[in-house]
Amino acid sequence: MDPQILAIMMVVSLFTLILLGVPVAFAIAGAGLLFGVIGVDLNLFNLLPSRIFGVLTNYTLLAIPLFVFMGILLEKSRLAEKMLDVLGLLSGKKPGGMAIAIIVVGILMGASTGIVGATVVTLTMIALPTLLKRNYSHSVSCGTICASGTLGQILPPSLVLILLADISGEAIGPLFAAALMPGLLLATCYIIYIILLSKFAPHHVPPIDEEERNTYSKKELWIEFFKSVAPPFLLIFAVLGSIIGGLAAPTEAASMGAIGALIIVFLSKRLSLEILKETLYETMKVTGMIMFVLIASQVFGLSFRGLDGDYLVEDLFDAIPGGMWGAILFMMLVLFILGFFLEWIEISYIVLPLVLPVFHALDVNMIWLGILIALNLQSSFLTPPFGWSLFFLKGVAPKEIKTMEIYKGVIPFIAIQIIVIALVMIFPEIALWLPKAIGWM
């Protein structure tokens, strides 16, 4: 049988296995092994040990468990809960103030955890009952929480950006710098949407009642702000500033971030042996899952190239009209559609290694393209029916929250994400200005 036909069958069987519920790493490795043996032979996998060794000894990837530890510790210590209360009360009597506070906390948590599941579950458990009690619309509440929780996908130090750097061969520093402005632009657009909603449909986002606002004086609120909100913000600023400014490599900055998180939680008198054990367990689980998928993807990649799949992808993109822009638009559409059914890590390690060589050959700026991909992958967390943020929220939401209310709530935020992707596509300097200003490019 034609090897390229086998390559297509391998990709189809992989998606079938994933949709049937087979764990991602087993599906990737299983499909790769089966079709590699059928289409080539076992000698194809002689290169596998060296490729796995290359993954496991990749110094840059050491940043993953350190950033995960930093984020999970801040989440487990419930600092986010205090941040949300303080920011919500500081918003005063303005409609939509609590929703804006959730977006700001989503920015802070996203930039500290980089883990969407942890952020969405935390925000749901902390904020959703509070919003419902304050008569916020169910759909707006759910949409705001889901969208805010996914900001960690684009705001550095995002796990997506770290793995994109590994897949594309680009340095992490420029990628982090390039992601900062689009990430903040996206968060700003979310806030503008809430402000417009508060102007034209204030009944969906009512203000906090006066009795609750009077529980703290202005002075007490600002003291709580400097105790609960400022330290995580300064930690994130120090970690990202050291990477983007070229003062430290991502791995060194991540280790300082982990130590800084320990100090903050200790000084807030929230550190305990139980929290530390839970944090270490979750860190090992998340890191193990990511590394297992990385290793499995080496099997799949070897088989796909052994079956001449890379030539198949080149021929496909050559057939797309419109040159470079046609190829980019086609890839973005494919990634967006896949996001309805697959997780970002599956898309990253199945699709991107196959298509990125095409864009290398077209001499596309890979930093800019990487940010477009990261923004696109972020939308996969919100798109029904299999958006993982929707599942995370539904899993811990009160029973009165209906699935259709969650779907309805995220639609405006998906539209905002598409608008921001279009803006970054049309105006590349949104992403490239900061790396150029620093001297990375």
Side-chain angles (χ1 to χ4, degrees), residues 24 59 65 78 123 220 300 331 394 400 422:
V24 178
Y59 183 66
R78 300 176 70 92
L123 286 176
E220 287 171 330
F300 188 87
M331 180 194 68
K394 182 63 178 171
E400 66 260 31

Side-chain angles (χ1 to χ4, degrees), residues 138-144 146-147 193 403-414:
H138 286 196
S139 58
V140 172
S141 301
C142 295
T144 304
C146 286
Y193 166 66
T403 301
M404 286 309 299
E405 290 175 329
I406 301 174
Y407 288 176
K408 183 181 173 185
V410 297
I411 288 171
F413 292 97
I414 295 170

Side-chain angles (χ1 to χ4, degrees), residues 288-440:
M289 180 272 290
I290 291 171
M291 296 306 293
F292 196 10
V293 172
L294 279 171
I295 291 167
S297 68
Q298 304 305 310
V299 181
F300 188 87
L302 268 178
S303 294
F304 193 79
R305 283 172 176 78
L307 296 169
D308 294 335
D310 44 352
Y311 298 117
L312 182 69
V313 173
E314 286 177 20
D315 292 342
L316 174 64
F317 275 90
D318 284 341
I320 303 296
M324 181 194 81
W325 281 107
I328 290 173
L329 288 170
F330 176 71
M331 180 194 68
M332 295 296 283
L333 180 62
V334 169
L335 293 181
F336 185 75
I337 292 169
L338 287 175
F340 281 78
F341 308 101
L342 301 178
E343 278 193 271
W344 68 271
I345 196 164
E346 297 161 3
I347 298 170
S348 297
Y349 278 96
I350 296 168
V351 181
L352 296 185
L354 310 183
V355 301
L356 287 184
V358 173
F359 295 99
H360 274 293
L362 290 170
D363 201 27
V364 175
N365 186 306
M366 296 307 290
I367 298 293
W368 169 65
L369 187 67
I371 300 308
L372 289 176
I373 291 169
L375 285 165
N376 201 330
L377 291 178
Q378 185 189 11
S379 68
S380 71
F381 275 85
L382 296 180
T383 45
F386 298 117
W388 282 97
S389 286
L390 316 181
F391 287 157
F392 292 138
L393 185 141
K394 182 63 178 171
V396 293
K399 288 183 180 178
E400 66 260 31
I401 297 295
K402 303 290 186 285
T403 301
M404 286 309 299
E405 290 175 329
I406 301 174
Y407 288 176
K408 183 181 173 185
V410 297
I411 288 171
F413 292 97
I414 295 170
I416 290 169
Q417 287 183 325
I418 293 170
I419 291 167
V420 171
I421 290 172
L423 286 172
V424 175
M425 194 177 286
I426 297 166
F427 305 105
E429 287 303 307
I430 295 173
L432 300 181
W433 170 80
L434 186 56
K436 287 178 179 177
I438 294 168
W440 284 106

Side-chain angles (χ1 to χ4, degrees), residues 77-385:
S77 62
R78 300 176 70 92
L79 275 175
E81 186 172 347
K82 194 66 179 175
M83 280 195 287
L84 190 60
D85 282 341
V86 171
L87 290 170
L89 290 167
L90 278 172
S91 65
K93 58 184 179 182
K94 297 185 176 95
M98 198 68 195
I100 292 172
I102 288 170
I103 295 169
V104 173
V105 171
I107 294 170
L108 292 172
M109 288 192 67
S112 62
T113 66
I115 306 167
V116 169
T119 307
V120 171
V121 169
T122 302
L123 286 176
T124 303
M125 295 177 70
I126 294 166
L128 189 55
T130 307
L131 292 176
L132 298 181
K133 186 178 72 177
R134 289 166 179 164
N135 299 316
Y136 265 64
S137 156
H138 286 196
S139 58
V140 172
S141 301
C142 295
T144 304
I145 289 170
C146 286
S148 302
T150 61
L151 288 170
Q153 286 290 91
I154 185 65
L155 288 169
S158 156
L159 295 184
V160 174
L161 297 174
I162 295 173
L163 295 181
L164 268 177
D166 180 57
I167 295 167
S168 64
E170 297 293 327
I172 293 182
L175 210 53
F176 276 7
L180 195 58
M181 296 307 291
L184 292 176
L185 173 63
L186 184 62
T188 303
C189 289
Y190 288 169
I191 291 171
I192 291 170
Y193 166 66
I194 296 297
I195 291 170
L196 290 174
L197 204 59
S198 69
K199 295 286 184 191
F200 297 105
H203 58 283
H204 285 302
V205 286
I208 298 171
D209 63 68
E210 191 174 354
E211 185 180 341
E212 188 177 353
R213 293 201 308 270
N214 291 335
T215 53
Y216 286 97
S217 67
K218 279 287 183 186
K219 182 181 177 182
E220 287 171 330
L221 267 180
W222 281 108
I223 290 170
E224 287 296 328
F225 175 86
F226 286 108
K227 283 170 61 177
S228 305
V229 181
F233 176 79
L234 290 173
L235 174 65
I236 293 160
F237 180 80
V239 170
L240 297 187
S242 63
I243 296 170
I244 293 171
L247 299 175
T251 305
E252 285 81 9
S255 63
M256 294 308 297
I259 293 169
L262 272 171
I263 293 169
I264 288 172
V265 175
F266 175 76
L267 292 176
S268 66
K269 299 180 181 176
R270 295 169 184 264
L271 187 63
S272 68
L273 187 60
E274 188 62 31
I275 285 176
L276 200 54
K277 281 169 61 179
E278 287 180 16
T279 301
L280 289 169
Y281 173 76
E282 289 295 326
T283 301
M284 289 172 66
K285 192 165 75 171
V286 172
T287 306
M289 180 272 290
I290 291 171
M291 296 306 293
F292 196 10
V293 172
L294 279 171
I295 291 167
S297 68
Q298 304 305 310
V299 181
F300 188 87
L302 268 178
S303 294
F304 193 79
R305 283 172 176 78
L307 296 169
D308 294 335
D310 44 352
Y311 298 117
L312 182 69
V313 173
E314 286 177 20
D315 292 342
L316 174 64
F317 275 90
D318 284 341
I320 303 296
M324 181 194 81
W325 281 107
I328 290 173
L329 288 170
F330 176 71
M331 180 194 68
M332 295 296 283
L333 180 62
V334 169
L335 293 181
F336 185 75
I337 292 169
L338 287 175
F340 281 78
F341 308 101
L342 301 178
E343 278 193 271
W344 68 271
I345 196 164
E346 297 161 3
I347 298 170
S348 297
Y349 278 96
I350 296 168
V351 181
L352 296 185
L354 310 183
V355 301
L356 287 184
V358 173
F359 295 99
H360 274 293
L362 290 170
D363 201 27
V364 175
N365 186 306
M366 296 307 290
I367 298 293
W368 169 65
L369 187 67
I371 300 308
L372 289 176
I373 291 169
L375 285 165
N376 201 330
L377 291 178
Q378 185 189 11
S379 68
S380 71
F381 275 85
L382 296 180
T383 45

